[in-house]
Amino acid sequence: MKRKYCAALFGIFIGAALLAGCAKTPESSVVKQKGKSSMENYKEAQDDTAKESSEGASLDTGEGAEDTQEEEGAVQTGALRARLGAPEHYENETTDATGKLKIITDAAVEIPEVDHASMIAVSQHPLDQEQIDLITETFFGDADIYDAYSLMQTTKSEIQAKIEELKGYAAQGNLDPYGWGTDEDGNYMFDINQAIEENEAALADAPEERVWQKVEPQFGLPYGDEGTGWNDTRFDGYVSMEDGSYYHYILNTYGSFPYDVNIEKVDTLEAMSRSENWLEYDMMNNGSISDLPSKEEMQEEIGISLDEAVTASQKKVEQLGFTDMELNGWEMAVKYWENVEPESTEDVGYARERQSGAGYLLHYTRTLDGIPVTYTNDHGGSLESMDSDMETWAYERLDITVSKDGIEKVEFFNRYDIGEVQTENLELLPFDEIIAIYEKMMQISNADVLNYEKERTYYINRITFGYGRIYEPSADATTGVLVPVWNFFGTFDSTYESEDGQIDTYYASEEKYSSQLTINAVDGSVIDLGLGY
């Protein structure tokens, strides 16, 4: 990585508009302002800052001071924590003026074992043919890959069977066989007569048998009867593996996801018509699903240890050549099929009898000079308004799901190109200032929830220091910077009045990666993770 030492402001590609894009923070004596006036905070720490913090770390070790001084690495280990004045654990409880909004903090304070943090330029890496070939080789080797349309074509016999099925429903007077319901005028959303006509029209041109068309993954392949192509932005295929299973392989490049890779295992061809879904176990585990497996049952169903899953995924990461991406989180995941009938639009949700798999969901992020990009549930790339036509850019993330049967799912979004270090050793706010901002902003940013909830209590159980990407989409949606940020992870309980007048309670799930507040470690501005600034 090239380094650029800058003693004052960062500039080059991001410009003054970047920090101005951060979500506006209410004025107070505690909370730092954003915008051009805050840019002066992005400067090098004084030359003796790291030295003083290292010395402080040595003095604080007490009886072990001599051992710490003898090992250079040990001095480095405590340098940043000592420099920020951050404890290993932080506890406090705050309540707003009404007493109905509470923030209970009982959290480990996680800080990487480094002595400084930088500001680093990033930009979009294209999902070009070189990347497509690398991903294809890594996960599929020389396996046969088929155009998805050729596999999903409907044969004459299948169309004839559908026509007979629909006519049978119509003869019985069942004009809404799949439960689609009616529109505001009382018309059926599913027009059974139109469906019969469309199937009869398609019957003449339908093939007697499916003709599987082999393809090489790329953009711009012909698609459909007219061979109209995918407008050079999508590839959709199925990979036939030696063990008889398949992978659905989708590549996209569009909008806020210029680099979008989705790979998901499909056990049989028949399963392709089912809507299957993977969900995080902890996110589901809030007491609302009575038949969800216990954690012990989940471990048994997954069938391998976490270490075995990490070994399998790490092999693929290394084959991809992504040496700076490291495991930064994990959780258990559940696979289930959602629809009872292929044509049904009913949202039936999870049910134990429809669970079809379980695995470990592994989260990989960049680690640069010992500091990881903090993983959160947020994808970024959102718009401030649905009316906005602004171009946006979601975060980089690499998620790999592994079960006893191997790699089950891969989601790889928006690979970054790492640019120059804009500021090598950033001047950072001390921990006590960050905490003051956090406790004030948790009340300010959540004050409106009491307009529709009776009470809400947050439980913050993890505080992390790491990199986060910010950018200014109105100026340039293809570039940004990694800056050090604090994330406050946790969940909440709330009580509210239901439509029937009953007081109900929403209980927090056990999800690990829901950040309730993100604060820029340099200037104290609050970052909206959904927006990315």
Side-chain angles (χ1 to χ4, degrees):
M1 180 191 304
K2 294 182 180 178
R3 299 188 181 277
K4 177 182 176 182
Y5 297 87
C6 117
L9 312 180
F10 76 98
I12 304 298
F13 76 100
I14 199 70
L18 175 61
L19 297 181
C22 294
K24 181 67 176 174
T25 302
E27 302 220 11
S28 79
S29 60
V30 175
V31 180
K32 306 300 179 184
Q33 290 299 301
K34 303 173 186 179
K36 292 178 67 176
S37 62
S38 72
M39 291 180 61
E40 62 188 24
N41 296 314
Y42 282 78
K43 59 187 179 182
E44 293 280 353
Q46 297 300 313
D47 292 341
D48 58 352
T49 301
K51 179 180 177 182
E52 289 175 356
S53 25
S54 294
E55 290 172 351
S58 299
L59 292 173
D60 289 342
T61 55
E63 295 179 0
E66 291 183 5
D67 293 337
T68 304
Q69 291 171 340
E70 289 175 2
E71 300 179 21
E72 181 181 353
V75 174
Q76 295 282 327
T77 294
L80 184 58
R81 185 181 294 274
R83 172 179 165 186
L84 299 174
E88 298 279 349
H89 196 92
Y90 180 79
E91 294 183 35
N92 195 25
E93 181 174 337
T94 61
T95 307
D96 75 342
T98 69
K100 297 179 180 180
L101 177 63
K102 298 179 182 178
I103 296 94
I104 300 173
T105 308
D106 186 357
V109 180
E110 301 175 7
I111 299 176
E113 297 180 350
V114 297
D115 61 0
H116 73 278
S118 305
M119 179 169 59
I120 305 166
V122 295
S123 58
Q124 294 180 2
H125 189 99
L127 183 54
D128 53 22
Q129 193 61 47
E130 181 179 356
Q131 285 287 295
I132 292 173
D133 292 344
L134 173 63
I135 293 165
T136 303
E137 172 64 26
T138 297
F139 289 99
F140 308 124
D142 58 358
D144 292 334
I145 302 176
Y146 298 92
D147 171 60
Y149 178 80
S150 69
L151 270 70
M152 301 306 292
Q153 278 184 307
T154 309
T155 64
K156 284 186 182 297
S157 61
E158 290 169 334
I159 294 177
Q160 186 62 52
K162 176 56 66 176
I163 292 172
E164 293 173 2
E165 175 191 343
L166 292 171
K167 287 184 174 180
Y169 287 133
Q172 298 168 10
N174 183 2
L175 302 183
D176 188 22
Y178 308 122
W180 286 30
T182 59
D183 61 18
E184 57 186 14
D185 298 322
N187 299 314
Y188 287 115
M189 298 292 291
F190 177 76
D191 188 332
I192 192 169
N193 293 318
Q194 181 181 343
I196 292 171
E197 291 177 5
E198 289 175 349
N199 277 278
E200 288 177 336
L203 185 62
D205 296 326
E208 296 289 345
E209 296 181 353
R210 291 185 184 88
V211 179
W212 290 23
Q213 180 183 352
K214 283 188 181 182
V215 291
E216 296 292 332
Q218 58 190 285
F219 292 132
L221 289 174
Y223 166 72
D225 295 334
E226 304 298 325
T228 54
W230 284 96
N231 298 320
D232 298 324
T233 62
R234 180 180 173 91
F235 168 78
D236 193 344
Y238 281 94
V239 185
S240 177
M241 307 301 289
E242 289 186 358
D243 64 0
S245 65
Y246 296 84
Y247 281 95
H248 195 185
Y249 184 23
I250 301 176
L251 305 168
N252 283 297
T253 176
Y254 65 95
S256 58
F257 290 85
Y259 188 121
D260 182 353
V261 178
N262 285 269
I263 298 170
E264 187 163 356
K265 191 173 187 179
V266 182
D267 293 326
T268 64
L269 281 177
E270 290 72 21
M272 292 180 186
S273 63
R274 300 191 313 191
S275 177
E276 291 190 294
N277 193 25
W278 281 95
L279 278 182
E280 295 89 336
Y281 174 81
D282 287 340
M283 189 176 294
M284 301 167 68
N285 193 20
N286 65 354
S288 62
I289 302 176
S290 59
D291 56 348
L292 194 68
S294 67
K295 290 185 177 181
E296 292 73 22
E297 289 172 327
M298 280 291 296
Q299 294 280 359
E300 184 176 346
E301 291 193 30
I302 291 172
I304 57 172
S305 68
L306 176 61
D307 286 344
E308 289 173 314
V310 172
T311 297
S313 66
Q314 190 64 38
K315 180 180 179 181
K316 296 301 182 183
V317 174
E318 292 172 359
Q319 285 180 256
L320 290 169
F322 300 156
T323 57
D324 56 358
M325 298 200 79
E326 297 183 359
L327 186 68
N328 194 14
W330 68 273
E331 47 198 314
M332 293 186 290
V334 172
K335 182 182 183 181
Y336 66 96
W337 51 280
E338 296 176 309
N339 55 332
V340 180
E341 297 290 342
E343 292 87 352
S344 174
T345 60
E346 182 182 1
D347 182 9
V348 295
Y350 171 87
R352 189 73 172 91
E353 66 269 16
R354 287 184 278 104
Q355 181 173 321
S356 55
Y360 290 108
L361 172 56
L362 309 173
H363 305 298
Y364 285 82
T365 66
R366 300 285 183 137
T367 296
L368 302 172
D369 295 330
I371 300 178
V373 174
T374 303
Y375 175 81
T376 75
N377 288 341
D378 292 270
H379 283 73
S382 298
L383 293 167
E384 292 186 8
S385 167
M386 294 298 293
D387 298 327
S388 174
D389 58 359
M390 184 185 298
E391 185 178 342
T392 61
W393 181 25
Y395 301 126
E396 176 184 69
R397 60 193 297 157
L398 173 57
D399 290 347
I400 302 177
T401 303
V402 185
S403 75
K404 62 180 180 298
D405 298 318
I407 303 296
E408 293 282 348
K409 186 175 182 178
V410 179
E411 290 185 314
F412 190 16
F413 302 136
N414 299 341
R415 180 157 177 77
Y416 296 156
D417 279 328
I418 304 299
E420 293 182 328
V421 173
Q422 300 294 303
T423 307
E424 173 71 14
N425 180 15
L426 284 166
E427 188 173 303
L428 304 170
L429 292 178
F431 183 77
D432 58 356
E433 280 197 47
I434 295 294
I435 284 296
I437 295 169
Y438 152 70
E439 291 176 347
K440 190 175 190 70
M441 287 306 301
M442 282 295 289
Q443 292 188 24
I444 293 174
S445 61
N446 290 287
D448 64 334
V449 303
L450 296 181
N451 293 332
Y452 45 89
E453 293 181 10
K454 296 292 186 181
E455 294 181 344
R456 177 178 287 200
T457 300
Y458 281 95
Y459 304 93
I460 304 302
N461 52 36
R462 181 169 161 249
I463 302 172
T464 66
F465 179 99
Y467 282 131
R469 193 214 71 201
I470 58 175
Y471 77 134
E472 175 49 53
S474 63
D476 184 358
T478 66
T479 60
V481 288
L482 295 176
V483 297
V485 299
W486 290 95
N487 276 287
F488 295 81
F489 290 96
T491 57
F492 64 88
D493 295 337
S494 64
T495 59
Y496 58 93
E497 186 174 343
S498 61
E499 292 182 358
D500 60 3
Q502 298 295 314
I503 302 300
D504 293 331
T505 300
Y506 167 83
Y507 291 104
S509 63
E510 299 179 16
E511 58 185 294
K512 303 178 185 177
Y513 302 108
S514 180
S515 179
Q516 303 299 334
L517 193 70
T518 302
I519 298 175
N520 189 315
V522 177
D523 66 0
S525 57
V526 174
I527 297 170
D528 185 321
L529 287 179
L531 298 174
Y533 51 88

